[in-house]
């Protein structure tokens, strides 16, 4: 006997709760099962983070401006550095926009998330102190990044409207900037520490050690 | 404005409570979730109130929405311009802008008429329906007195108790009445036969006709 699962329709709220549960399970699985892997290959965890970012962005799409990409861009910036941040921003934006919507704004999203990652990489010493993550500094930066990213993406409207309208446009978006900032802080509060441990396991970046002596030829 | 302050205050207060109610190591987690949930729940109110506060008046005089808040771009608006000596005291300081839900959010004190515009309406196809919707927002100030002439349509005797024949001349070859401007042009149709656009602006003001 066959059942047509496609015939089952969920209300937007039911669908959202289901999506949220999927994202939670995915992130929790990643954090709790990752300890089994001993790989020091950053490519593995980088790829997994990209998958989490893309799926998280798509699944949390019903909530305006709350998604994990900005937070993950910050973490990638801190633990992987500038070049990975640019790659992360590009891959995540293009991959998720295939499903969400692709347009000129995609370029600004790439620039926005890459800028956040690059800034995080440059400010790394403010976030990792004594080999521990400074959650307060990270939360403040994450909140700021919500505004920064939205403002950079807002530049895309200058293709259509007069620059004099730009400030009004930015002002109108403040409630949504606040949501983005709040979402980022929530991601930092809940996920920064476990993700930091996970990234530590796969990268050599958090505890740079001086070479004791030069290798002779 | 007061709704905006109230909403922000509630968000801030609940976030602080969420912060203080949790154990020290969970405070950021608790506060951030409370902030996010309360902000999401109040987003609609917050966004509307914020848009009203930050709206600007359209300055393109070729636009039918000239002088109206840009918040109403693409939406339908009804303006009542009262004679200076018959303007309700609420509107005596300029042209007020009232949103469809009754919120008086912006006053243009430099406009050369006193009165009010009620806007933000969508989907009305007939003039009379839009007029009635606007009147409903402030029934005591815009109340209509009309005469129905059947197939000939309706005639507006007064708006908000302001009778054109008291304000201006009405005689054998001269008549004062509430005239309708549709998108800046004097309408030749009566309100009951007027077909609207998605962003129609109707202006009611007293004019005098001679023949």
């Amino acid at each position: 006997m066959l059942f047509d699962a496609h015939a089952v329709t969920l209300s937007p709220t039911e669908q959202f709760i289901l999506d949220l549960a999927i994202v939670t399970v995915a992130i929790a699985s990643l954090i709790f099962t990752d300890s089994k892997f001993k790989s020091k290959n950053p490519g593995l965890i980088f790829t997994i983070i990209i998958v989490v970012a893309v799926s998280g962005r798509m699944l949390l799409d019903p909530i305006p401006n709350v998604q994990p990409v900005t937070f993950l861009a910050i973490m990638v910036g801190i633990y992987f550095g500038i070049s990975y941040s640019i790659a992360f921003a590009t891959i995540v934006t293009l991959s998720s926009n295939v499903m969400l919507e692709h347009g000129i704004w995609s370029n600004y999203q790439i620039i926005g998330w890459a800028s956040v990652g690059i800034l995080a990489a440059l400010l790394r010493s403010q976030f990792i102190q004594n080999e521990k993550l400074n959650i307060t500094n990270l939360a403040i930066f994450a909140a700021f990044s919500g505004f920064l990213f939205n403002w950079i993406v807002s530049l895309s409207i200058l293709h259509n409207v007069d620059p004099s309208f730009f400030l009004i446009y930015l002002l109108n978006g403040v409630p949504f900037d606040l949501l983005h900032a709040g979402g980022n802080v929530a991601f930092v509060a809940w996920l920064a520490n476990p993700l930091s441990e996970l990234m530590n396991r796969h990268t050599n970046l958090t505890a740079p050690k001086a070479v004791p002596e030069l290798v002779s030829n | 404005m007061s709704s905006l302050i109230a909403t922000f205050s509630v968000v801030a207060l609940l976030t602080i409570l969420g912060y203080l109610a949790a154990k020290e190591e969970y405070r950021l987690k608790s506060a951030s979730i409370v902030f996010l949930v309360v902000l999401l729940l109040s987003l609609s109110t917050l966004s509307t109130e914020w848009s009203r506060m930050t709206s600007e008046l359209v300055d393109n005089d070729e636009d039918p929405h000239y002088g109206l808040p840009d918040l109403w771009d693409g939406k339908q608006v009804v303006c009542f311009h009262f004679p200076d000596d018959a303007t309700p005291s609420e509107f005596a300081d300029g042209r007020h802008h009232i949103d469809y839900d009754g919120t008086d959010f912006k006053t243009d004190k430099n406009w050369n008429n006193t009165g009010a515009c009620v806007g933000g309406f969508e989907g009305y196809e007939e003039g009379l329906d839009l007029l009635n919707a606007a009147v409903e927002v402030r029934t005591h100030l815009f109340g209509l007195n009309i005469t129905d002439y059947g197939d000939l349509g309706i005639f507006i005797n007064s708006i908000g108790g302001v009778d054109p024949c008291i304000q201006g001349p009405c005689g054998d070859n001269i008549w004062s009445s509430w005239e309708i401007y549709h998108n800046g042009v004097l309408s030749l149709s009566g309100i009951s036969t007027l077909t609207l656009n998605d962003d129609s602006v109707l202006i009611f003001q007293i004019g005098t006709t001679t023949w």
Side-chain angles (χ1 to χ4, degrees), chain B residues 112-135:
Chain B
N112 53 9
N113 296 99
T114 52
C117 295
V118 188
F121 296 105
E122 289 178 285
Y124 288 96
E125 293 176 356
E126 293 175 14
L128 187 58
D129 292 337
L130 179 62
L131 174 62
N132 283 329
V135 168

Side-chain angles (χ1 to χ4, degrees), chain A residues 1-89:
Chain A
M1 190 175 184
L2 290 174
F3 294 97
D4 184 7
H6 291 270
V8 178
T9 52
L10 298 175
S11 71
T13 311
E14 290 167 338
Q15 185 65 56
F16 166 68
I17 292 169
L18 187 64
D19 290 349
L20 200 61
I22 294 170
V23 173
T24 309
V25 168
I27 293 174
S29 306
L30 173 66
I31 290 166
F32 291 120
T33 61
D34 180 75
S35 56
K36 293 171 187 166
F37 297 108
K38 301 293 179 195
S39 164
K40 272 288 181 189
N41 175 12
L44 174 69
I45 191 65
F46 181 69
T47 309
I48 294 172
I49 286 171
I50 284 178
V51 173
V52 171
V54 172
S55 53
R57 185 174 179 222
M58 290 195 295
L59 290 170
L60 294 180
D61 187 48
I63 315 179
N65 257 345
V66 178
Q67 37 72 24
V69 182
T70 312
F71 159 69
L72 291 172
I74 294 169
M75 296 301 280
V76 167
I78 295 171
Y79 286 93
F80 290 83
I82 290 176
S83 54
Y84 273 89
S85 293
I86 297 168
F88 172 84

Side-chain angles (χ1 to χ4, degrees), chain A residues 63-64 66 135 139 165 168 171-172 174-176 178-179 182-183 185-186 189-190, chain B residues 8 28-30 32-33 35-36 39-40 43 46-47 50-52 54-56 70:
Chain A
I63 315 179
V66 178
I135 294 291
F165 183 69
I168 299 164
L171 275 174
N172 271 314
V174 166
F176 295 93
L178 274 176
L179 259 184
V185 173
W190 288 85
Chain B
F8 268 124
L28 187 61
K29 289 180 181 176
S30 165
S32 62
I33 286 295
F35 175 78
L36 205 56
L39 197 63
L40 276 169
L43 186 65
L46 199 64
S47 183
W50 188 263
S51 302
R52 284 170 181 162
T54 57
S55 68
E56 301 255 319
D70 53 12

